[in-house]
């Protein structure tokens, strides 16, 4: 009986010790990150960075809950930051989250869908292993990220060539948000398979761009600062043009189709 009691006490002490170790284990992250619990969720988001390090590491968990979002303006005052390492728990980063351009390697977490809005044009970008939604291909010798079904263009790496043309693959039916914003291509050729152009898709690209004949939706800021046909005739079938879709460009006139239902 005494032997059984001793074994029980030993097991109890072992369990308590393991519990204490687990409680004290914390993921490494950069000092100065401010975390807030997302309302209605058991998830955290980064709302501000007040640290001094230029290389920021964000943890997958904080207080046992996953870190899934970075809020707008969280790093906008942190002009000294040059790189941010994201965990695979990170799903979204809000527009205008940082006030400077990142450099070095940038690994896209496996649950993150859009990332063209991030200041990463100067980074060496690659997908995390086993990314849930995207794959990497080479198009015109350029690193390109598309959806796994090859229907959506997600992100196109920049070019240093002054006369480069980028031909979007003809499997693409949707240009994702920010997919080619702030790129340096002289010309971007869209196939007629494209039906939807996401928000800010070609924003400030300053490239010569054609409007596909089968286009149905053009979202906010899609063609800001692009070179289009100055007397633009939009094809029948187009149903939606969002706010500022053609802002700050060379247009003299636009002919709208009878199919247009929404003009932002």
């Amino acid at each position: 009986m005494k032997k059984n009691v001793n074994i029980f006490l030993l097991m109890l002490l072992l369990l308590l010790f393991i519990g204490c170790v687990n409680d004290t284990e914390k993921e490494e992250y950069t000092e100065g990150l401010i975390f807030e619990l997302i309302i209605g969720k058991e998830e955290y988001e980064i709302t501000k960075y007040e640290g001094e390090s230029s290389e920021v590491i964000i943890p997958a968990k904080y207080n046992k809950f996953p870190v899934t979002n970075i809020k707008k303006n969280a790093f906008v005052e942190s002009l000294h930051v040059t790189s941010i390492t994201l965990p695979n728990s990170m799903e979204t980063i809000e527009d205008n989250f940082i006030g400077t351009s990142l450099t070095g390697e940038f690994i896209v977490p496996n649950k993150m869908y859009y990332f063209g809005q991030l200041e990463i044009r100067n980074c060496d970008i690659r997908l995390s292993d086993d990314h849930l939604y995207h794959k990497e291909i080479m198009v015109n010798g350029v690193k390109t990220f598309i959806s796994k079904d090859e229907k959506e263009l997600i992100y196109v790496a920049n070019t240093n060539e002054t006369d480069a043309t980028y031909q979007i693959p003809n499997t693409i039916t949707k240009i994702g948000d920010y997919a080619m914003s702030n790129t340096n291509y002289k010309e971007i050729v869209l196939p007629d398979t494209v039906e939807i152009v996401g928000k800010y898709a070609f924003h400030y690209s300053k490239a010569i761009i054609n409007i596909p004949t089968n286009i149905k939706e053009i979202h906010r800021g899609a063609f800001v600062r692009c070179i289009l046909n100055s007397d633009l005739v939009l094809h029948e079938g187009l149903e939606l043009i969002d706010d500022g879709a053609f802002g700050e460009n060379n247009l003299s006139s636009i002919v709208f189709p009878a199919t247009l239902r929404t003009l932002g």
Side-chain angles (χ1 to χ4, degrees):
M1 178 72 177
K2 185 175 181 181
K3 183 177 180 181
N4 290 338
V5 171
N6 288 336
I7 292 173
F8 174 76
L9 290 173
L10 182 62
M11 291 178 66
L12 182 61
L13 288 171
L14 182 61
L15 289 171
L16 288 172
F17 174 75
I18 292 172
C20 289
V21 170
N22 287 337
D23 285 343
T24 57
E25 283 181 353
K26 291 183 178 180
E27 291 197 44
E28 291 186 8
Y29 62 86
T30 305
E31 184 178 352
L33 289 169
I34 307 299
F35 301 85
E36 288 188 13
L37 197 62
I38 299 175
I39 297 174
K41 295 183 178 181
E42 293 184 339
E43 300 175 5
Y44 276 93
E45 61 187 2
I46 306 293
T47 59
K48 194 171 176 122
Y49 177 57
E50 299 177 341
E52 298 180 357
S53 177
S54 62
E55 298 179 352
V56 178
I57 298 174
I58 295 176
K61 289 185 178 181
Y62 181 76
N63 285 346
K64 299 182 180 181
F65 293 135
V67 180
T68 61
N69 182 55
I70 299 179
K71 290 287 287 182
K72 179 178 180 179
N73 296 330
F75 288 82
V76 77
E77 297 177 1
S78 306
L79 302 181
H80 60 290
V81 173
T82 57
S83 70
I84 299 177
T85 301
L86 302 175
N88 272 331
S89 63
M90 187 67 63
E91 298 180 15
T92 54
I93 297 180
E94 297 180 14
D95 296 359
N96 303 315
F97 88 105
I98 194 167
T100 186
S101 295
L102 300 176
T103 58
E105 185 178 62
F106 184 88
I107 301 174
V108 182
N110 63 17
K111 294 179 182 178
M112 184 172 289
Y113 200 89
Y114 291 124
F115 51 91
Q117 77 277 18
L118 311 181
E119 295 291 340
I120 55 175
R121 285 287 172 199
N122 297 322
C123 294
D124 177 20
I125 304 167
R126 67 181 181 87
L127 298 176
S128 63
D129 296 336
D130 302 318
H131 196 280
L132 296 179
Y133 310 115
H134 309 322
K135 64 180 181 179
E136 178 185 328
I137 62 173
M138 296 297 290
V139 177
N140 311 133
V142 176
K143 185 184 289 189
T144 301
F145 300 94
I146 62 174
S147 57
K148 286 188 174 180
D149 63 4
E150 301 186 358
K151 292 183 178 181
E152 184 172 2
L153 184 70
I154 301 299
Y155 186 87
V156 177
N158 213 345
T159 180
N160 293 321
E161 298 179 20
T162 56
D163 294 321
T165 295
Y166 186 87
Q167 177 88 41
I168 294 175
N170 59 16
T171 62
I172 299 298
T173 60
K174 180 179 180 180
I175 310 297
D177 297 351
Y178 295 92
M180 295 191 71
S181 65
N182 292 289
T183 50
N184 298 326
Y185 294 92
K186 182 177 181 181
E187 184 175 5
I188 300 172
V189 181
L190 280 66
D192 285 334
T193 53
V194 172
E195 297 179 352
I196 299 172
V197 178
K199 67 178 183 178
Y200 304 108
F202 302 103
H203 180 260
Y204 276 59
S205 68
K206 303 175 187 176
I208 300 169
I209 301 180
N210 63 297
I211 305 294
T213 58
N214 292 319
I215 196 80
K216 293 181 179 178
E217 298 178 12
I218 301 174
H219 289 269
R220 181 182 305 136
F223 294 103
V224 169
R225 288 266 184 116
C226 296
I227 302 174
L228 305 165
N229 188 327
S230 61
D231 296 310
L232 185 62
V233 178
L234 296 171
H235 300 278
E236 294 296 321
L238 178 62
E239 299 176 355
L240 179 146
I241 300 175
D242 212 339
D243 295 342
F246 297 104
E248 300 179 45
N249 55 40
N250 63 315
L251 293 178
S252 298
S253 65
I254 302 180
V255 176
F256 297 109
T259 53
L260 188 65
R261 297 178 181 176
T262 303
L263 181 60

